[in-house]
Amino acid sequence: MKRTYINEFHRQWIESTMQSIASWQKQPISLEEKKKQQEMLNRQKAIREGKLKS
């Protein structure tokens, strides 16, 4: 797929993002790490919604 870029910064940012995604796909995280990430996301959401104090 041919990508269209707005400018040089946009091209660099997109290419960097695509490289990161490719790297992450090669190294999937463990179930334990997924649980930690979900707990952190849940805590951040609770803080945003005022259910917890930081």
Side-chain angles (χ1 to χ4, degrees):
M1 180 175 114
K2 176 126 171 76
R3 293 187 182 94
T4 304
Y5 305 107
I6 298 170
N7 55 32
E8 184 60 22
F9 172 80
H10 185 244
R11 184 192 68 75
Q12 290 174 354
W13 183 74
I14 294 293
E15 293 300 324
S16 173
T17 301
M18 296 306 288
Q19 288 174 358
S20 294
I21 291 170
S23 172
W24 297 333
Q25 288 174 336
K26 291 177 186 173
Q27 302 170 356
I29 62 174
S30 67
L31 182 57
E32 187 77 19
E33 188 63 28
K34 286 180 186 179
K35 287 179 182 179
K36 285 181 188 176
Q37 287 182 357
Q38 189 60 52
E39 288 171 5
M40 179 60 88
L41 291 171
N42 292 344
R43 180 169 170 75
Q44 290 172 349
K45 181 180 178 185
I47 291 170
R48 274 195 314 274
E49 293 176 350
K51 296 177 182 174
L52 278 178
K53 298 201 186 247
S54 56

